[in-house]
Amino acid sequence: MIKPLSFRLWACLVAPVSLAMAAPDYTKDIKPLLKERCVSCHGSVKQKGDLRLDAGALIDKGVHAELVERVTSHDEDERMPPEGARLTESQVEALRLWIAAGAPFPSDEVIPKKPSEHWSFQPVKRPKVPESASHHPIDAFVFGKQNSTPQAAPMALLRRVYLDLIGLPPTIAEQERHSSLDTAIDDLLTRPEYGERWARHWLDVVRYADSNGYERDAEKPFVWHYRDYVIEALNNDKPFDRFVMEQLAGDEMKAESGKLKAEMVIATGFLRLGHWDDEPADPAADRYDQLDDIVSTTGQAFLGLTIGCARCHDHKFEPLATRDYYSLVAVFNPLQRPTKGRTELTVPVDGTEVYIWREPSAKAPETHVLVRGSPTRFGDLVEPAVPAILVKQQPQFPSGEKTTQRRLGLAQWIASTNNPLTARVIVNRVWQQHFGQGLVTTANDFGLMGAAPSHPELLDWLAHWFMHDAKWSLKKLHRLILTSRAWQSRSEGQRAKGTGTKPANATPKSDSVSLHYALSPTPYRYRRLEVEAIRDSMLAVSGQLNPKRFGPAMKPGIPAAALEANTDKEKVWQASDEREASRRSIYAFIKRGLVVPMLETLDLADTVSSCPQRQVTTVAPQALSLFNGDFVNQQAKRFAARLKREAGDDSAKQITLAWRLALCREPTAAELTQMHRFLREESLEQVCRVILNLNEFVYPE
């Protein structure tokens, strides 16, 4: 109960505001304060004491006085906020003045919806395509009745689609062969390089690495089978719903053949990709850390939910209870990690050593809620279940004879067309890779705290079409997006090309993902290529790219200086020979404790947890790596040798060939003159080094 307030205190609170002191602005001063310090306990998700403070209209005048009394109270049982630092004197004073002024708020303030009404928790329905001058559904949603933006030049589009789908520039023969973009798209989607390019995007999401991290950072034996599984799954256009199910429960699914069964079991390597401490200080806590890694990654990768935040307490900002979290823990709790002491073991499946967890029995261990996340404080017993906010009725979890089948039950629910999140999340991920930013800018967070979609009807149309028309085919989704005028539009980068300046719509490092971007008038965002595409393109134009596919990872060279701090610098990194190291970057060994400097400097994904979108930074070491690094200089040398071999000693032919190989166009007269002048003072190798460092080379256009 609220203690009665003294008349003196009440008089202080409701006294008129001095004319010399303006009342704080609700939108700028009060609402952000309440959101930061109060809404986690008194918002749309949780309402302690039946009190909501997330909108001015919901704050009853009867609690105004109590609010100030609580935030200034020294009684630990009554103070607000109950935890953390107290409000500062200026924050308390702002509340006093606002209340004294009558607690005004904008009449048009939007009152947050109930969590159950959140857009991403609603069933996916197919909205009507807007009337438009375009026959393409994406363009109809993006441009409406307005004219679409100018299309990029044909050769610029060809280079863009090559880099987008396979991460390599088109050869001169390919530049001359393709008569239309549509035929190029169809061709590229059938190539094995497509899977190598797009598998890397998925590996970011599932925190893939070849080692365990922590002090010893031991190699994960045969983990590369999972990487190869993803590449083949994408190349074979495995339906995404099947792709999801195999990674969660491939060992619990029925297979028509031994080869298919091995493939499905390899897919469950997804569950074991996280970092692992082979000598934990607290084994019990470590066990739950491993389960948390699986639950958190599953929630983010497939559902776009930050369920891991409910491990120690109910999620403060999402309708996800601790019970929801531990109900998912119960799904994975039967899994055991095959080890012998500190050594990780694999599981043989039809003659193949597979890096997976295993379920030794159909009998599941009990799973309890851990009070405040402590492995020594057992709370309520829980059974397998999915987050309550997402279903009206819990799905049935089957039982099995060899395993519990709990993961299969979860996988079937996630991959169902009735699930409101799965299709929306993956469609958004694909859109993000094609355009540079998703329709939802928080790709791993579709919850209340995530960004709202910039084009909600387009997102829902795509999600419904993907499930029901495309039958979960990613290749059909690619084709739909790439044939739109929205994707083919000219970026501002084309106008800034060759100037060395940053285009107006280039992504700055400080961009907030909570800001919505406008698709119109320039949907295609100018952005730098990922480090793998940059490295692979250098190998391609130098003629050194090794097409070898699959198998154990290769180890590119690492500068000796980068190894100095390692206690075992002689053995920690045995670099592959040049031919092996010239394979595509997806086959590079990713060691959590020792990342190849070039990859790290150019923003390789974090491997500790799911990476929804890579950072795009602009820092000095990147220029040093690209201009002075051993790899780039080696490729410049090979590139120069190729030009001499294919163009002879004619410098004009050498420069023209270099431009066509690297940039997919002829040099302008000014560029040709400039390069001739440079070539008189420097070697052809230095010319090639400059070309490999052009903005135009490391950007799609």
Side-chain angles (χ1 to χ4, degrees):
M1 290 291 293
I2 302 171
K3 294 181 179 179
L5 298 176
S6 68
F7 175 79
R8 184 177 180 183
L9 175 60
W10 173 257
C12 290
L13 292 174
V14 301
V17 180
S18 168
L19 293 177
M21 188 177 296
D25 182 271
Y26 170 79
T27 303
K28 294 181 179 179
D29 305 315
I30 302 302
K31 187 166 185 173
L33 173 62
L34 295 175
K35 181 177 181 180
E36 179 184 357
R37 303 304 309 276
C38 306
V39 168
S40 61
C41 294
H42 303 286
S44 62
V45 176
K46 186 186 299 183
Q47 303 90 38
K48 284 189 175 180
D50 293 326
L51 175 64
R52 284 187 67 171
L53 300 174
D54 52 331
L58 302 176
I59 305 175
D60 190 273
K61 290 186 178 180
V63 304
H64 286 170
E66 180 194 4
L67 183 60
V68 177
E69 183 183 27
R70 288 293 187 91
V71 299
T72 57
S73 174
H74 294 284
D75 187 333
E76 292 299 320
D77 293 329
E78 294 196 6
R79 60 164 286 201
M80 288 174 60
E83 298 177 348
R86 294 179 177 279
L87 267 61
T88 65
E89 290 183 6
S90 61
Q91 289 173 331
V92 172
E93 185 63 16
L95 275 177
R96 288 184 190 277
L97 293 173
W98 177 64
I99 290 172
F105 58 88
S107 59
D108 59 350
E109 181 186 18
V110 177
I111 297 177
K113 294 181 179 180
K114 296 178 181 178
S116 60
E117 299 172 335
H118 183 62
W119 68 269
S120 71
F121 300 159
Q122 308 311 307
V124 177
K125 296 181 180 179
R126 188 166 187 150
K128 183 180 178 181
V129 177
E131 292 184 12
S132 171
S134 171
H135 296 295
H136 198 292
I138 289 178
D139 295 332
F141 282 104
V142 172
F143 301 113
K145 294 183 179 180
Q146 299 177 352
N147 292 325
S148 59
T149 56
Q151 192 174 30
M155 192 52 66
L157 277 179
L158 186 68
R159 184 171 186 267
R160 183 195 291 182
V161 78
Y162 263 74
L163 291 169
D164 205 338
L165 284 180
I166 67 171
L168 299 169
T171 65
I172 293 177
E174 290 166 340
Q175 294 170 36
E176 295 172 346
R177 182 175 74 242
H178 287 299
S179 58
S180 74
L181 188 65
D182 287 356
T183 59
I185 293 169
D186 291 339
D187 174 44
L188 293 172
L189 288 172
T190 65
R191 295 194 186 183
E193 293 90 348
Y194 156 73
E196 292 172 325
R197 169 69 162 149
W198 278 79
R200 184 61 257 182
H201 300 323
W202 184 251
L203 296 184
D204 284 3
V205 174
V206 298
R207 84 278 187 226
Y208 179 88
D210 293 280
S211 71
N212 285 318
Y214 291 99
E215 183 179 358
R216 265 177 282 277
D217 200 16
E219 182 175 346
K220 289 180 176 291
F222 297 99
V223 69
W224 48 266
H225 280 306
Y226 173 81
R227 175 247 290 151
D228 292 351
Y229 160 81
V230 175
I231 294 172
E232 289 197 288
L234 296 180
N235 278 333
N236 295 331
D237 202 18
K238 186 186 291 288
F240 186 74
D241 56 345
R242 177 82 181 190
F243 185 60
V244 170
M245 291 182 62
E246 289 181 356
Q247 292 177 81
L248 291 170
D251 57 322
E252 295 186 320
M253 297 168 63
K254 293 181 180 179
E256 297 176 359
S257 66
K259 182 179 183 298
L260 184 59
K261 184 62 178 177
E263 175 185 310
M264 291 158 56
V265 174
I266 287 170
T268 65
F270 155 78
L271 302 169
R272 201 175 171 182
L273 294 176
H275 52 292
W276 177 64
D277 189 352
D278 60 2
E279 195 176 27
D282 185 342
D286 178 68
R287 165 67 179 175
Y288 284 100
D289 286 344
Q290 293 178 56
L291 290 170
D292 176 71
D293 168 72
I294 296 172
V295 170
S296 296
T297 306
T298 298
Q300 290 179 307
F302 302 119
L303 300 173
L305 291 179
T306 56
I307 185 70
C309 295
R311 179 179 180 181
C312 300
H313 47 69
D314 290 350
H315 202 304
K316 288 186 175 294
F317 305 107
E318 303 288 352
L320 299 170
T322 304
R323 190 177 188 88
D324 290 326
Y325 173 87
Y326 284 99
S327 294
L328 288 175
V329 170
V331 173
F332 300 105
N333 204 10
L335 291 169
Q336 290 186 5
R337 190 183 201 102
T339 60
K340 185 177 182 180
R342 297 179 183 174
T343 304
E344 288 205 283
L345 302 178
T346 55
V347 177
V349 179
D350 292 333
T352 301
E353 294 297 322
V354 180
Y355 185 77
I356 58 170
W357 291 79
R358 56 185 293 271
E359 274 197 35
S361 168
K363 182 175 174 58
E366 289 187 346
T367 301
H368 293 262
V369 171
L370 300 186
V371 179
R372 300 191 71 81
S374 171
T376 62
R377 299 179 62 188
F378 282 15
D380 293 341
L381 184 70
V382 293
E383 295 296 327
V386 303
I389 191 68
L390 298 178
V391 292
K392 294 181 179 179
Q393 183 177 353
Q394 284 291 332
Q396 292 294 317
F397 282 82
S399 58
E401 297 179 356
K402 295 182 178 180
T403 66
T404 63
Q405 300 278 297
R406 290 181 172 187
R407 286 177 290 114
L408 181 59
L410 176 65
Q412 289 171 336
W413 172 75
I414 290 178
S416 167
T417 55
N418 294 324
N419 189 301
L421 289 166
T422 309
R424 284 181 172 127
V425 169
I426 187 58
V427 162
N428 187 66
R429 291 194 194 281
V430 174
W431 184 279
Q432 173 182 283
Q433 295 301 337
H434 283 306
F435 284 93
Q437 188 160 288
L439 294 166
V440 176
T441 58
T442 51
N444 270 9
D445 188 357
F446 274 48
L448 274 61
M449 297 302 291
S454 59
H455 291 64
E457 290 190 337
L458 172 57
L459 179 63
D460 275 15
W461 188 94
L462 286 170
H464 192 280
W465 176 90
F466 179 62
M467 290 188 290
H468 298 283
D469 292 43
K471 305 300 181 186
W472 301 86
S473 166
L474 288 171
K475 288 189 177 182
K476 290 181 180 178
L477 179 59
H478 289 308
R479 190 176 289 106
L480 179 72
I481 291 174
L482 297 175
T483 54
S484 70
R485 297 284 294 191
W487 184 83
Q488 295 175 16
S489 63
R490 184 175 61 189
S491 76
E492 290 184 21
Q494 288 181 300
R495 294 194 290 275
K497 183 169 58 180
T499 65
T501 60
K502 181 180 286 188
N505 69 333
T507 306
K509 182 179 179 181
S510 59
D511 261 5
S512 170
V513 295
S514 64
L515 296 177
H516 298 161
Y517 75 105
L519 283 173
S520 304
T522 308
Y524 188 83
R525 292 168 63 88
Y526 186 71
R527 66 201 190 275
R528 191 180 67 216
L529 292 169
E530 303 96 321
V531 63
E532 293 92 341
I534 293 173
R535 181 181 178 276
D536 294 351
S537 294
M538 289 182 177
L539 287 166
V541 301
S542 71
Q544 298 302 301
L545 184 62
N546 180 353
K548 178 182 174 183
R549 296 188 174 90
F550 308 133
M554 57 81 176
K555 293 184 177 179
I558 288 182
L563 303 175
E564 281 299 318
N566 200 285
T567 56
D568 192 14
K569 58 185 177 183
E570 299 298 328
K571 297 181 180 179
V572 68
W573 190 267
Q574 300 295 319
S576 304
D577 61 40
E578 183 181 353
R579 178 63 176 164
E580 181 69 10
S582 296
R583 297 171 66 193
R584 294 203 66 171
S585 302
I586 192 170
Y587 299 114
F589 192 95
I590 303 300
K591 188 173 179 65
R592 284 189 160 105
L594 181 63
V595 180
V596 176
M598 179 181 176
L599 304 185
E600 185 173 33
T601 301
L602 288 163
D603 304 318
L604 184 74
D606 173 34
T607 59
V608 173
S609 57
S610 175
C611 177
Q613 185 172 18
R614 293 192 184 184
Q615 289 186 321
V616 181
T617 61
T618 303
V619 293
Q622 292 168 348
L624 294 173
S625 179
L626 288 175
F627 204 71
N628 297 328
D630 292 341
F631 173 79
V632 178
N633 277 274
Q634 185 180 52
Q635 298 316 308
K637 181 178 180 180
R638 303 296 190 212
F639 191 11
R642 179 183 184 181
L643 297 180
K644 292 177 181 177
R645 189 169 60 249
E646 298 181 14
D649 296 328
D650 187 321
S651 59
K653 290 182 178 179
Q654 291 173 347
I655 295 168
T656 300
L657 178 60
W659 241 250
R660 293 198 66 189
L661 288 170
L663 308 178
C664 303
R665 66 177 177 86
E666 299 271 350
T668 64
E671 289 168 336
L672 198 57
T673 300
Q674 192 173 16
M675 284 296 101
H676 271 302
R677 187 182 306 122
F678 184 74
L679 192 54
R680 285 196 294 269
E681 300 175 2
E682 299 287 347
S683 66
L684 183 59
E685 182 179 329
Q686 294 307 311
V687 170
C688 290
R689 185 162 69 136
V690 169
I691 293 171
L692 295 179
N693 275 271
L694 291 174
N695 273 3
E696 191 175 349
F697 182 76
V698 298
Y699 283 75
E701 56 189 67

